[in-house]
Amino acid sequence: MAKVLILGGGFGGVVAAERLAEQLGDEHQITLVSRSRQFIFYPALVRLAFGKCDVKDVSFDLRHTMLNRRVNFVEAEVAHIDPFERKVSIAHGQVEGKLPYDYLVFALSRRLATEKITGFFEHAHHLLNVDKAIKFGKAIAEFTGGRAVFGQCFGARLPVPVYETAFALARHLKNNGERERAKITVVVPDTLESDLGDARGAAALKQALDAHQIELLTNFPIASLTENSATTNTGDVVNFNLLMLVPPFRGSSAAHYMGVTNDEGYIHVDGNMRVIGHERIYAAGDCVSFSGPKMGHMAVRQAEVAATNLAAEIEGREPISHYVHEMRFVIDEAGSEGLYLHKDIWTEEPATVRQGRFWSWAKRVQQKYWEVTHS
């Protein structure tokens, strides 16, 4: 019997656990370690902030879901990984100590590097957990006018919630008859094309921003914040009365001493999602070093590939699944200008871009699917 240990309770870890349970059955032991027993459906946090759904609509009990799939669940923090002894040290949870493994799936989420932006902790809202989304929602309710600024910092690699928040606020203010009292500005550290990875997608998004009278400031890499202003590393300043900012990200610190990461802490993997430099270790999700944005659907596909190949390895077969680095996303809350983009990041082919209200509906269906299948 092989002991398979999965680290991380996000999209990558959950899907890896489910696929391995399906493929390996009861013959092997599968254990998922997560710092929280609550799974959060992050794409819905914009809607949560604007009061369009409740906390129960964006989360489910991970322990219950895993046990229903014959996967052991441990709520704890991963402290250290010893790939030579094949043991993981865990702490600050229901148990502390070392968990042995025969095979490992590393799916821990990225770290918020808020220390890179002076004043971020004190002055910026973000949408990267439930509590922060609720706090931002209260700030929206108290916003009576002025300038609202939404953006990414350099190294954030998560563009969708920035634009969705801008569109959602524009709609919220319009419905309340207050749109003329506010200026909405989106800031990006580079260009819109580099933010989305595609020229056609950038053009379609710019058209949607213009239609909703949302200002766009490009080449605006925020370096520091005060109570009501954001400053770039070249001294450009934008003032605000409301701010939501995606901070820089870095890879999980738990991988730091394994010797398998790049300068930002992301793990090097091959096309089979195997960690380069160590045997019997796979990685999936935000922790890997692939280029482009870090998105939930990418973590899902990487986890599926990792699980399929790990199961094959346990059974003495060659890896049969290869990952294709595709970007698919929907920018919601823009009404008839709702944007769908699909692009293969590893090729030079232009993206497929579609617009319309259908894509907002499709995003709701995706969320409902996760709620129904994982509750």
Side-chain angles (χ1 to χ4, degrees), residues 49 121 124-137:
F121 181 81
H125 292 283
H126 67 73
L127 285 166
L128 297 169
N129 63 48
V130 168
D131 291 341
K132 293 298 184 181
I134 292 173
K135 183 179 179 181
F136 179 50

Side-chain angles (χ1 to χ4, degrees), residues 335-346:
S336 60
E337 288 84 26
L339 180 70
Y340 165 79
L341 186 145
H342 171 212
K343 180 178 176 63
D344 185 338
I345 296 177
W346 286 342

Side-chain angles (χ1 to χ4, degrees), residues 120 125-126 128 151-153 156-158 161-162 244-249:
F120 187 100
H125 292 283
H126 67 73
L128 297 169
Q152 286 197 93
C153 297
R157 299 169 69 175
L158 189 63
V162 173
M244 193 286 289
L245 201 59
V246 183
F249 294 124

Side-chain angles (χ1 to χ4, degrees), residues 42-116:
Y42 288 99
L45 291 185
V46 173
R47 291 177 58 80
L48 177 66
F50 281 87
K52 295 186 177 182
C53 62
D54 297 323
V55 173
K56 62 181 177 60
D57 298 320
V58 302
S59 65
F60 60 81
D61 187 278
L62 200 50
R63 179 190 298 277
H64 176 76
T65 301
M66 290 296 103
L67 292 180
N68 281 348
R69 288 159 172 77
R70 305 182 308 279
V71 175
N72 300 318
F73 179 82
V74 176
E75 184 177 3
E77 188 89 25
V78 175
H80 179 73
I81 301 169
D82 187 336
F84 304 102
E85 293 291 330
R86 291 179 184 159
K87 292 181 179 179
V88 173
S89 299
I90 59 173
H92 307 299
Q94 63 186 108
V95 296
E96 294 188 11
K98 295 184 178 181
L99 295 178
Y101 67 86
D102 298 307
Y103 297 88
L104 183 72
V105 179
F106 193 108
L108 293 172
S109 62
R110 53 199 164 187
R111 180 180 68 84
L112 306 188
T114 56
E115 74 279 1
K116 301 289 184 181

Side-chain angles (χ1 to χ4, degrees), residues 247-317:
F249 294 124
R250 293 294 183 270
S252 170
S253 58
H256 180 70
Y257 296 102
M258 294 173 63
V260 295
T261 63
N262 63 13
D263 292 340
E264 295 181 330
Y266 297 116
I267 297 174
H268 296 297
V269 295
D270 62 19
N272 302 123
M273 303 311 300
R274 291 181 296 197
V275 173
I276 298 172
H278 288 293
E279 297 180 343
R280 299 189 179 190
I281 303 180
Y282 293 75
D286 292 346
C287 61
V288 303
S289 62
F290 293 145
S291 59
K294 304 280 188 180
M295 310 185 81
H297 75 90
M298 294 174 172
V300 168
R301 179 55 185 150
Q302 290 164 14
E304 290 173 338
V305 171
T308 298
N309 291 329
L310 192 157
E313 185 175 348
I314 289 177
E315 296 171 352
R317 297 181 284 109

Side-chain angles (χ1 to χ4, degrees), residues 49-50 123-127 132-151 162 165-166 168-170 172-173 178 181-187 222 225-230 238-245:
F50 281 87
H123 305 300
H125 292 283
H126 67 73
L127 285 166
K132 293 298 184 181
I134 292 173
K135 183 179 179 181
F136 179 50
K138 293 178 180 178
I140 293 169
E142 296 171 357
F143 179 65
T144 58
R147 191 178 205 175
V149 174
F150 308 127
V162 173
T165 303
L169 182 62
H172 170 77
L173 294 173
E178 300 175 341
R181 297 171 58 183
K183 181 175 185 177
I184 303 175
T185 301
V186 169
V187 299
I222 292 175
L225 301 171
T226 66
E227 184 177 2
N228 52 24
S229 67
V238 61
N239 295 322
F240 59 81
N241 303 95
L242 178 67
L243 175 70
M244 193 286 289
L245 201 59

